[in-house]
Amino acid sequence: MAIASPSSSVTVRSFSPVWSIKRTSQSQLRMMAVRSSNSNSLSVSTTPILTNLQHNCATPLPLLRHVADSMADDMRAGLAVDGGSSLKMILTYVGSLPTGQEKGLFYALDIGGTNCRVLRVKLDGKDIDIKKISREIPAELKTGTSKELFGFIASGLWELVNWEFEKFGIQKDRKREIGFTFSFPVEQTSISKGTLIEWTKEFNISDTIGEDVVACLVEAMKELELDMFSVTALVNDTVGTLAGARYKDGDVKFAVILGTGTNACYIERMKAIPKLNSQGHVTKDTIINTEWGSFSEGLPLTEFDLGTDLGKQAFEKMVSGKYLGVIVSRILLKMAESENFTRELNEMQQDDSDDLEIVGSILNKTFEVETTLNMRKTAVKVIDTIVRRGARLAGAGIVGILEKMEQDSEGLIYGKRSVVAIDGSLYEQYPQYKLYLNEAVKELLGPEKFQYVVIEQFHDASGVGAALLADTSSNVTSTS
């Protein structure tokens, strides 16, 4: 892997080639078709809406600086006492990270906002071979019962066991340690135990709140006679990303998820966590899961944001892929609901044809309307306004964490190469979002500090990291 020197600019790389969206591809996700009651055209007066929108969504440097500073302040307040800020600042009990020398077979189970994945990771030095079984989580399971959801999650393990037996002759009853990536707020009591604080990303299963999610998974595995698996690590997807990225690059300092949802975690010194008091932790450093999606200080809100129930997970709803399309659809027609419009946003924003043919085609298919060139130009400007705001706010959040780490340990960040590991479909698939985020980071830091920062994409890092942490945690337990 090429290493950026301190004089290099921000670079973006990945474990594997990024899947690029063809401009002519069609998303399977469709917004609700809405017609004007009077005519077959967009029924909003676009010019006043766009003017107000651009004013209200503006992210000038002073606003971004306020967001970054407030993020750092909230981090400290959350470390001082539980409930001290909008950021939960959850202790993960991860006391050691991969060294890059790990070899062998490792396993992970990863549940996010959209998909459930089972991963078999084979490591040989820096080479990574991943077998991935991915299934979309049915909508009804997101609001069903705990038994139904965890039963679905566990069932994917059987497919892996059967595949290993048929492919390599590995006996089905062979013991396997597995890391469990669970991308929701969990209060951990150890590396392998944690109770669910709340659901996010439109999950709402009441009988899981306050329960140990590892115990829920173990019970589901017992039901399916999957006792060959032992869950030895419970990690958030950001924590998994940090660990997986650290395997590839020892300069990784923290990780960010920018996909359906968003979150960040970073390496913190134990002595900088006042709320631990005298609990007797022997490690010097640990990973803190910030749960930054709930951050809300100084964000540039609009009436369309408030319409998405912004009182909860405010930062996430302005930054992540789950909600960008919802906000744009509300603006375009002042009334629409969407599961996800993000891929179409990308296609429309990349349309550089004179008549914006792609924009017109997508709007026609989505809303069943005919549009003029002026209307298509307005739609692109609306998209650009919302995407730019979200990406720049994410950049400000990144700078907030960098600044907090540097202020606590001078020279930790800006005196040496510092890597921010990013994973997630939004950052991976949306070039304009990526560009705006990097621009905001550079604008906030200035050239002197910016030269030390590398924003690097690590595809599938969360699953790799969870698998590695499962092995590390098992070794620590067996020798303690």
Side-chain angles (χ1 to χ4, degrees), residues 224-245:
L224 298 175
E225 298 183 349
L226 290 165
D227 56 355
M228 70 284 290
F229 287 100
S230 176
V231 183
T232 55
L234 171 66
V235 299
N236 184 273
D237 54 352
T238 52
V239 176
T241 296
L242 197 159

Side-chain angles (χ1 to χ4, degrees), residues 305-324:
D305 298 309
L306 297 176
T308 62
D309 186 26
L310 203 67
K312 191 174 183 180
Q313 296 295 107
F315 193 68
E316 181 167 68
K317 290 179 179 178
M318 298 177 74
V319 165
S320 69
K322 179 69 178 176
Y323 300 97
L324 291 181

Side-chain angles (χ1 to χ4, degrees), residues 18 24 76 78 96 101 123 149 163 174 199 204 219 246 283 286 299 314 317 327 394 427 458 461 463 477:
V18 175
T24 56
R76 291 191 180 89
S96 61
Q101 304 302 312
L123 302 177
L149 176 64
W163 178 84
R174 174 184 171 179
W199 288 106
N204 186 16
E219 183 63 30
R246 191 68 173 246
T283 58
T286 190
L299 302 179
K317 290 179 179 178
I327 297 169
Y427 191 81
F458 291 83
T477 301

Side-chain angles (χ1 to χ4, degrees), residues 80-204:
V81 60
D82 285 332
S85 78
S86 62
L87 305 184
K88 294 182 175 64
M89 304 301 287
I90 298 170
L91 181 66
T92 65
Y93 292 89
V94 174
S96 61
L97 287 167
T99 64
Q101 304 302 312
E102 291 82 1
K103 296 182 180 181
L105 284 176
F106 307 86
Y107 300 88
L109 185 60
D110 185 344
I111 173 175
T114 304
N115 297 309
C116 177
R117 303 183 302 163
V118 179
L119 292 92
R120 177 187 189 264
V121 182
K122 184 177 181 180
L123 302 177
D124 182 13
K126 295 297 183 181
D127 294 327
I128 302 178
D129 179 45
I130 300 177
K131 164 65 177 178
K132 180 167 50 177
I133 299 171
S134 181
R135 298 182 297 166
E136 185 173 350
I137 302 170
E140 60 270 20
L141 293 186
K142 297 180 180 182
T143 56
T145 66
S146 179
K147 184 175 181 179
E148 291 170 340
L149 176 64
F150 284 92
F152 173 80
I153 295 171
S155 65
L157 295 174
W158 260 125
E159 188 174 343
L160 176 66
V161 170
N162 289 329
W163 178 84
E164 282 196 318
F165 178 74
E166 294 171 2
K167 182 77 173 178
F168 303 108
I170 297 176
Q171 294 302 306
K172 295 183 178 181
D173 60 354
R174 174 184 171 179
K175 297 300 181 182
R176 301 165 174 89
E177 290 151 356
I178 190 167
F180 183 25
T181 302
F182 189 74
S183 305
F184 302 90
V186 168
E187 186 67 50
Q188 291 198 231
T189 54
S190 73
I191 187 61
S192 59
K193 292 183 180 180
T195 57
L196 178 63
I197 299 173
E198 62 181 345
W199 288 106
T200 57
K201 291 170 280 203
E202 297 190 352
F203 279 72
N204 186 16

